Amino acid sequence: MEQNQFSLEGKVALVTGASYGIGFALASAYAKAGATIVFNDIKQELVDKGIASYNEIGIKAHGYVCDVTNEDMVNEMIAKIEEEVGVIDILVNNAGIIKRIPMCEMSAADFRQVIDVDLNAPFILSKAVIPSMIKKGHGKIINICSMMSELGRETVSAYAAAKGGLKMLTKNICSEYGEFNIQCNGLGPGYIATPQTEPLRVQGNPFNDFIIAKTPAGRWGTPEDLMGPAVFLASDASNFVNGQVLYVDGGILAYIGKQPVS
Ligand code: NAP
Ligand code: GCO
């Protein structure tokens, strides 16, 4: 076994949408494992806020303003990163949105916007980094999937369609580029306490109790729960793991749910 095959020393990691939330936690884990951190966000003020947050925990992060759905902006950002920081070894397609609307009340524009950020953008980002990964002889692409890559629920039709598609994009990148020593895997968080799920966790929302009853761990996950699995997928320790989705869900996908007390 290689010396410390979990080390990311000398690697450049781009985590999209990582000013806060899950992306921030993953980028912080990568920095602690030795990687140089690059992230983007849609607004300069969020990039500045993100850089300050990374600085607070002793991480010098490189931040770029980029809307991941805009292919020209993405290509410009990747070129700038390669010039200013280095070729990207690890790409985490983390940026994502959700719109919780009953399907028959959802506009096609809203549906398209979710697909654009959660599925089209990972395609755009992956297409932008793969050629340099091939030249370099290795690469890691990690797509942030979801319980909704496997399950549906009311009001999240666009999100589930996107995250289900993202699971299949993951398998396809594995199939098409595995021969170039590029590993593309999904990381599937369960229900995690971040700004995205805040509306579900507010006091008195029955969904909060539902998730706790549905999770063998009996709690919401935290971004910190994802850090170790994310380092594994970004490191040499997973060089023969490809096209998989690693679910970090406290057991939700395996469990029918706590029996109601009669
Ligand atoms: P979050 O708190 O809402 O953060 C999402 C991040 O993505 C924000 O920084 C946001 O920036 C950025 N973003 C959104 N649209 C963007 C765009 N077009 N271009 C660039 N950046 C964009 O979400 P989170 O909970 O950390 O989730 C991160 C990822 O994990 C998402 O893909 C989500 O689907 C997935 N996930 C979350 C959970 C969960 O329970 N929280 C579970 C499974 C999977 P702005 O603030 O500028 O919008
Ligand atoms: C929802 C939640 C979920 C989580 C996550 C679960 O409304 O059901 O937002 O979609 O964000 O994706 O893995």
Side-chain angles (χ1 to χ4, degrees):
M1 187 161 134
E2 252 177 73
Q3 278 305 321
N4 194 5
Q5 54 181 329
F6 294 93
S7 167
L8 302 183
E9 285 296 338
K11 298 285 172 56
V12 175
L14 167 61
V15 184
T16 63
S19 299
Y20 56 87
I22 287 173
F24 182 85
L26 302 190
S28 306
Y30 290 170
K32 290 192 184 102
T36 298
I37 299 307
V38 186
F39 74 101
N40 75 293
D41 220 307
I42 264 188
K43 304 170 202 117
Q44 186 61 53
E45 77 219 57
L46 268 175
V47 169
D48 296 343
K49 182 172 160 280
I51 288 172
S53 304
Y54 285 110
N55 279 339
E56 270 166 34
I57 54 174
I59 295 171
K60 180 184 173 307
H62 302 262
Y64 293 82
V65 177
C66 177
D67 175 349
V68 291
T69 66
N70 181 319
E71 189 164 24
D72 291 341
M73 281 186 87
V74 166
N75 289 333
E76 270 164 47
M77 174 178 72
I78 299 300
K80 271 176 84 176
I81 292 169
E82 291 190 355
E83 193 191 310
E84 296 168 2
V85 185
V87 170
I88 293 160
D89 301 286
I90 302 157
L91 167 67
V92 180
N93 286 307
N94 168 76
I97 61 170
I98 190 167
K99 290 178 185 283
R100 300 181 183 96
I101 305 168
M103 197 184 93
C104 291
E105 295 164 32
M106 183 177 237
S107 69
D110 274 338
F111 189 93
R112 262 197 297 274
Q113 189 190 359
V114 174
I115 298 289
D116 221 10
V117 180
D118 295 5
L119 180 56
N120 291 345
F123 160 75
I124 291 169
L125 266 297
S126 303
K127 197 173 83 155
V129 302
I130 283 171
S132 296
M133 287 180 170
I134 291 173
K135 280 198 204 100
K136 209 167 179 184
H138 66 254
K140 297 280 187 182
I141 297 174
I142 297 156
N143 293 320
I144 306 301
C145 294
S146 160
M147 296 292 92
M148 274 60 219
S149 296
E150 302 295 342
L151 304 169
R153 84 172 185 85
E154 299 80 2
T155 77
V156 296
S157 58
Y159 184 83
K163 293 297 186 179
L166 187 56
K167 176 174 80 170
M168 288 314 301
L169 178 63
T170 299
K171 294 181 182 207
N172 218 75
I173 293 171
C174 152
S175 307
E176 207 163 340
Y177 297 101
E179 68 175 284
F180 302 104
N181 192 26
I182 292 172
Q183 291 85 47
C184 180
N185 291 289
L187 182 69
Y191 278 83
I192 311 294
T194 71
Q196 191 244 52
T197 54
E198 215 149 352
L200 306 175
R201 291 179 284 112
V202 291
Q203 200 59 37
N205 184 339
F207 195 87
N208 183 55
D209 300 338
F210 166 70
I211 288 300
I212 290 170
K214 193 71 180 87
T215 308
R219 65 174 174 88
W220 282 77
T222 66
E224 290 67 29
D225 288 320
L226 303 168
M227 292 165 90
V231 169
F232 165 67
L233 289 178
S235 71
D236 289 342
S238 61
N239 283 351
F240 204 56
V241 178
N242 213 345
Q244 303 300 315
V245 179
L246 177 55
Y247 287 102
V248 186
D249 67 354
I252 285 188
L253 282 176
Y255 185 40
I256 195 170
K258 192 165 287 309
Q259 315 306 319
V261 178
S262 50

